Amino acid sequence: MADLESFRAETRAWLEANCPEEMRQPIRDDDDVCWGGRNVKFKSEAQKLWLERMGAKGWTVPEWPKQYGGGGLDRAEAKVLAEEMRRIKARSPLSSFGIWMLGPALLKYGNEAQKLEHLPKIARGEIRWCQGYSEPGAGSDLASLRTSAEDKGDHYLVNGSKVWTSYADKADWIFCLVRTDPTAPKHLGISFLLFDMASEGVSTSPIKLISGSSPFCQTFFDNVKVPKENLMGEPGKGWTIAKYLLTHERNMIGGSDSTGGGQRDSVSNIARKLIGLDAAILADTALRTDIARHEMNALAFSLTMERVLAEAKAGQDTGALSSMLKYYGTELNKERMELLMSIRGSDGLTWEGEEKGEGDLARSWLRSRANSIEGGTSEVQLNIIAKRVLDLPGA
Amino acid sequence: MADLESFRAETRAWLEANCPEEMRQPIRDDDDVCWGGRNVKFKSEAQKLWLERMGAKGWTVPEWPKQYGGGGLDRAEAKVLAEEMRRIKARSPLSSFGIWMLGPALLKYGNEAQKLEHLPKIARGEIRWCQGYSEPGAGSDLASLRTSAEDKGDHYLVNGSKVWTSYADKADWIFCLVRTDPTAPKHLGISFLLFDMASEGVSTSPIKLISGSSPFCQTFFDNVKVPKENLMGEPGKGWTIAKYLLTHERNMIGGSDSTGGGQRDSVSNIARKLIGLDAAILADTALRTDIARHEMNALAFSLTMERVLAEAKAGQDTGALSSMLKYYGTELNKERMELLMSIRGSDGLTWEGEEKGEGDLARSWLRSRANSIEGGTSEVQLNIIAKRVLDLPGA
Amino acid sequence: MALVLTEDQQMIRDSAEGFFKDEAPVSQHRALRDAKDATGFSRDVWTRMAGMGFAGVLVPEAHGGADMGHVAAGIILEAMGKNLSAAPMLSTAVLGATALRAGTPEQQAKYLPLIAQGAHLLALAADEAARHKPSHVATTATPSGNGFRLNGVKGFVLDGHVADTLIVAARTDGETDDRAGITLFLVNPKADGVKIDRRSMVDSRNAAKVTLSDVQVDGADVLGNVGEGFAILEKMLDAGRACLAAEMLGVSGQAFATTVDYLKQREQFGQKIGSFQALQHRAAHLFCEIELARSATLKALQALDEGSDRAPMFVSLAKAKAGDVAILATNEGVQMHGGIGMTDEYDIGFFMKRARAAQETFGDSAFHGDRIARQLGY
Amino acid sequence: MALVLTEDQQMIRDSAEGFFKDEAPVSQHRALRDAKDATGFSRDVWTRMAGMGFAGVLVPEAHGGADMGHVAAGIILEAMGKNLSAAPMLSTAVLGATALRAGTPEQQAKYLPLIAQGAHLLALAADEAARHKPSHVATTATPSGNGFRLNGVKGFVLDGHVADTLIVAARTDGETDDRAGITLFLVNPKADGVKIDRRSMVDSRNAAKVTLSDVQVDGADVLGNVGEGFAILEKMLDAGRACLAAEMLGVSGQAFATTVDYLKQREQFGQKIGSFQALQHRAAHLFCEIELARSATLKALQALDEGSDRAPMFVSLAKAKAGDVAILATNEGVQMHGGIGMTDEYDIGFFMKRARAAQETFGDSAFHGDRIARQLGY
């Protein structure tokens, strides 16, 4: 414990000295989030400095081993770091699918050369990754994917296309599910391939969403040559890696990241500001009932995340519960956005107006509708719970 | 129109002269409802007189032809009769599955001899019928029924058992689905048989429900001999008749009968009386929100019944909508009972207390849970809507 | 009145459905949106709508209208909802005509024929709170010259950016939330002191912010009696709400039809997704909900035509139910479409946007649930 | 505190689950019901529960209790919920012990050991309104002799028919709905002027109506300070509510397990009904809901053990969530069982009855939703 306290003191001092003042301000818009990559455009010198300093210490990925660019911290130390960052309201230096998704899979399934090659670049924000899972017309049905990787001796020849690749137009590399054995049954012929988006034959086309933004792309592969050493794990075992990785994604979407964590203002606080009180209760009693019901569920849900984490830490088996967190968390977030739209009334309908930020709520609301579709639809999560947790029979 | 007005005047005069004062009082308990039958026990002389007088005029079944014991009225005249009865708050003289269910099917599928034999006795309340559809372990899956009717030349030999036969222990005759052709595929070997519950080999055993009452029986057939002329419709066409009849039953359960019509006090009136107002709104605002939501749906539902009837009258095809009425009406009634339990709070929990009527609400609440099971479960109704109305593909 | 369309009304329905499908389909809505069209609708289509008698659906025949009543107006709006047709139907033909019918003979003679011809656009400038509350009027009208001087700010003035006349609710007496003391004025948007800021909305329609700074109106511009404008305003709003319910019914119906079609075509895991029972049950439930919304809406429109005392209750029922159902139908539509439902390329998202905007217009289901409860005394 | 059971608590869970499954299973509940047992529970089982330390779970060790805390109490109640075990656990071991811990040293010494031994039963006589409102106390306590004279009527006194001591909330000051001015009294039910009418409830448990007519109590029977009883009452109620949440969690869990088993066995239309996707999705959703109720309940019990300021909020969350989930779980259970779920022969109906009764006890989810909203300032 004494060690931990001295670690805390050192950490606090280092953060005080190294975290630029600007990086201690709340995130205002998308530009404030740093995604790194070859073509990174830093919004400010402070943002650049903060990434470099944290990357150099490995604290963008505190628990990864030092030889792979990580901080080499144990769980307790990582918690101290997180607490100390929260204390000074330090921003996360780097947002990255490499950190959230590929990294954990690489650590588990990658070979030593792959780990040494890719993990440090992820940690320092040098390479930005995207994910190639879904295919046009396949939706949640990942097992029916058709993108082929033909074995050409020293390389694979990749043909096909992927859809819903987040920020593929901005990414440097892709981790991609491909079919290496066209004769094997559905799940079995799939492999997990890493390759450079700058390879010849790769092209991307952004998908415009109902919210007006284009965070996703369709990505096309036309005779893309990928070196054989870029295969991760065993050939035909891509499905296992994908499932492992999807679990991480589900936790991310269902969890505090995209449904927002403690930093968001509560629905009732927003309602109180906008609608006001009447005799100490919210002036709109029907909305109050709905808000209270929502907030109770949101609170019970966040306690459930806390409990699942605590149980996992205590060594209990919680693996199949990621579907629950994904399902319930995304449905709650949609409900939250619907309530905010109701609370804001006609003001929430604005798409474009004279002031900056008008239209943000409507866009966020529309964006939230995708929560229960991306990363496995709510229906797929319920199927998984029914089959894997409840062990109900197949149809 | 002049004819109709004179009919109204005659009807009014007749009702005034013939409807006993006691039969103009609201129905207080089950004994106030007359079900007729061989073993009928009239609660009062007035109840007996009212049934005899109405039966003699055929006005227990105003639109049935006169030769079958009906009133021979046209739709407009029947409406006048109903209006005039409502005007003096006259009770219905007879409750009867014969009228609601078997009668319409007999009129459509029965032969002349069967009509002449059975319809007048139904009209006069002399014979009380019950329904033999469901079988133990088959639930909503009527097509898999196993009760057999073996062709023995001049008679069928019936063996098997039925469950959920309403008031089978009080009924005189049963209309019953039986399998006459064990080799035909599921729906095709089924026939529609009428027989006397006093026949040798018929026995009944009441089923105790969670509400404490036993309105249903299990009914056993042990080598029951049924004359061949008691088969209704063609052999093997029982399924068609059953479907026709279920539609009537669905309308009855989903419609005004068991979900209650205009006579019931509204949820909000009950809440206002028990909970009271505060600044002109219900003192419990959360309950108020839920009650308002329920009452809006209840009102929209009753308007939907009105619209479906109006459309049917205007010659539009509304056949498949009976599943909608059954599904939505029963779910609404369950919701109503849940709300009433909430409104009554701890008082609603009483099962037995010193005063008469204590425990009634809890029993009605428990009874209501069967609404969405009997007469085809809510799930079956939704399947029917999906397949027949929306034409969605089979699994 | 039987709760069913008459033969005449069925004919209106058929011709309205044909008209909007041909003349103002969803693709036109998309094109206007993409062009960032400043008007937000096609004036040409509006002229042809007038030619069909739609603009004058609530205008008396004596003033050149078709005078077909509220059920007919709802039928037209439902067809517009199915096609997401944008036109100043609600603001001018429903709200405007309803308002002017309460006007003086001179006002009627001046405006009603123009409305029926599609030659004059009106807009209601009433809301001041983001959550609809019609009695919340802080805008003042103080005596001045032979009339009044108006000061205040109005939000959410639908079609305010193109209106030829604004109908402004202002307070001549009483406190901000009082029903008494509100007076309606016909205001020329080009008058001195009127400032109009157009805002485009999520559904690509327009609602202006209208700022009134010492705007002088004369006595002839008062609509109805001074201090008694709330009753007219409620009448306008109820006509508008019932027609919005009808429009949302069209939105729900079309979103549902599109979704059911998709369920029948799309395959996943080797099966049509419409064969999955969980989706079947949700679709079947939604079917029932839409039927309930249909009944409530027809009843509300009929009650307005009958001048029934219970019209406000049925209108609130229709607005609340059709609104909730439209939200459900479009949310389910997007979810059942999956990822492509989130893309701008597919139409289903447009229906979701319109459903939300219509839900927030003239009171959402929470507002109307409260209104019904108050009417029923709880 | 990590939101997870400690190893000690897991051991308590295992022993409680084993105990109630063996000693007080649903069949015992049915037998008591069928026998119309006047006590409504087995005194023998209660004695053995005391032997296990359950009766003294909240009694300090100094007074012979096991002092295991609220999490442990909840674990015991959850096991009771799974088996529908009836015993005066809530009224005596939770409410009674919590009340007496606020008593004088003499009161503690007199009552707490007896509670722990299972030798003395208590009952809370507080509610006067059918919908729970603890400040609604009209029962009066007027000074008389060296004490007070009580007059009033109490409804819904759980286990009041067997109590050896009643804990009565009466007003020594203030108006009916004031929180201040309420005083708690320990009242002998055999005292002059106390009338107890047993009522059996839908879940076959008992709640008495207690009528107090000039009942004389002396100063030593006051629990806590005069006029400050509400704080103790809230503490009692919160302990009771959290334990009821735990019991309802047990009810939900067992009803769900029974239903899932049924889905795996029952065939219809030639298939296991558990293979129907619509039922699968409903079951999966219900699974999630039960997990949420579990988290909220554990947090509430931990917050009570920690003496956290936020305990009342977490308790209300747990009571509301566990209550709604229990209603959902038992309703779905009956519906998925179909017709046989409606028969008295199957146990699922008992779970539905207990869920409803527990939901209405000490505030339903509407009450607690309101309480949370007030605590959060809206």
Side-chain angles (χ1 to χ4, degrees), chain C residues 16-181:
Chain C
E17 294 204 338
F19 179 86
F20 290 105
K21 200 176 159 200
D22 293 343
E23 305 288 332
V26 182
S27 57
Q28 187 183 79
H29 170 77
R30 178 186 290 278
L32 288 163
R33 194 271 317 251
D34 289 346
K36 295 193 180 245
D37 185 271
T39 307
F41 59 89
S42 159
R43 287 188 185 266
D44 181 46
V45 169
W46 179 238
T47 304
R48 271 177 285 148
M49 283 172 69
M52 296 285 290
F54 297 164
V57 64
L58 294 180
V59 173
E61 291 182 5
H63 292 293
D67 204 12
M68 296 185 285
H70 293 88
V71 172
I75 288 167
I76 295 163
L77 263 300
E78 184 183 347
M80 293 175 72
K82 282 187 182 178
N83 295 285
L84 297 176
S85 315
M89 184 74 199
L90 188 76
S91 51
T92 296
V94 177
L95 298 171
T98 303
L100 265 307
R101 289 181 82 146
T104 61
E106 294 73 24
Q107 288 169 336
Q108 298 200 21
K110 177 175 170 188
Y111 291 103
L112 286 173
L114 293 172
I115 291 174
Q117 292 156 29
H120 195 91
L121 301 180
L122 293 104
L124 172 64
D127 277 351
E128 299 185 19
R131 281 188 61 77
H132 183 64
K133 188 175 183 189
S135 62
H136 185 79
V137 174
T139 294
T140 54
T142 42
S144 163
N146 79 333
F148 295 86
R149 212 172 53 241
L150 307 182
N151 278 288
V153 180
K154 296 288 182 179
F156 203 52
V157 181
L158 294 170
D159 293 336
H161 66 306
V162 291
D164 300 304
T165 296
L166 298 169
I167 301 169
V168 175
R171 188 161 290 286
T172 43
D173 198 10
E175 301 296 321
T176 294
D177 289 318
D178 290 352
R179 293 175 168 215

Side-chain angles (χ1 to χ4, degrees), chain D residues 85-361:
Chain D
S85 315
M89 184 74 199
L90 188 76
S91 51
T92 296
V94 178
L95 298 171
T98 303
L100 266 307
R101 288 181 81 143
T104 59
E106 293 73 24
Q107 288 168 337
Q108 297 199 23
K110 176 175 173 191
Y111 291 103
L112 287 172
L114 292 173
I115 291 175
Q117 291 156 29
H120 195 91
L121 301 180
L122 293 104
L124 172 64
D127 278 352
E128 298 185 20
R131 280 188 61 77
H132 182 64
K133 189 175 180 187
S135 62
H136 185 79
V137 173
T139 294
T140 53
T142 41
S144 164
N146 79 333
F148 296 87
R149 211 172 53 239
L150 307 181
N151 279 287
V153 180
K154 297 288 181 180
F156 203 53
V157 180
L158 294 170
D159 293 335
H161 67 304
V162 290
D164 299 304
T165 296
L166 297 169
I167 302 169
V168 175
R171 189 162 288 289
T172 42
D173 197 9
E175 300 296 320
T176 295
D177 289 319
D178 291 352
R179 293 176 169 214
I182 294 172
T183 305
L184 298 185
F185 297 91
L186 298 167
V187 176
N188 182 346
K190 299 201 175 66
D192 284 347
V194 179
K195 182 164 168 279
I196 295 188
D197 296 306
R198 171 184 169 227
R199 284 174 196 221
S200 71
M201 294 194 296
V202 66
D203 60 349
S204 305
R205 302 196 184 186
N206 294 284
K209 185 171 90 173
V210 174
T211 310
L212 304 158
S213 312
D214 285 330
V215 176
Q216 183 69 34
V217 289
D218 78 27
D221 297 327
V222 172
L223 189 70
N225 296 327
V226 172
E228 295 172 12
F230 190 75
I232 304 172
L233 181 59
E234 278 281 87
K235 217 167 172 165
M236 292 169 68
L237 288 170
D238 273 343
R241 289 157 178 160
C243 287
L244 275 166
E247 187 188 350
M248 291 191 287
L249 188 63
V251 166
S252 299
Q254 188 58 43
F256 184 59
T258 304
T259 303
V260 170
D261 279 350
Y262 186 75
L263 293 178
K264 290 178 189 172
Q265 285 158 20
R266 166 81 167 166
E267 289 195 13
Q268 209 161 32
F269 308 108
Q271 287 176 51
K272 300 271 190 244
I273 62 173
S275 70
F276 296 138
Q277 197 197 32
L279 298 189
Q280 289 189 343
H281 280 199
R282 279 158 58 186
H285 173 76
L286 181 52
F287 169 82
C288 298
E289 292 287 357
I290 294 173
E291 289 296 308
L292 262 69
R294 175 171 303 285
S295 315
T297 301
L298 180 56
K299 182 71 182 181
L301 294 163
Q302 284 187 350
L304 289 171
D305 279 340
E306 288 167 354
S308 160
D309 286 349
R310 298 171 75 202
M313 192 197 65
F314 287 122
V315 166
S316 277
L317 174 68
K319 179 66 171 65
K321 187 68 197 168
D324 283 345
V325 170
I327 299 284
L328 178 68
T330 51
N331 279 347
E332 285 285 60
V334 168
Q335 182 68 24
M336 290 186 187
H337 274 78
I340 60 156
M342 289 298 297
T343 62
D344 189 70
E345 194 185 338
Y346 272 68
D347 290 340
I348 188 75
F350 284 133
F351 287 90
M352 188 165 73
K353 292 169 177 178
R354 179 60 195 145
R356 170 55 65 181
Q359 162 81 309
E360 300 303 331
T361 303

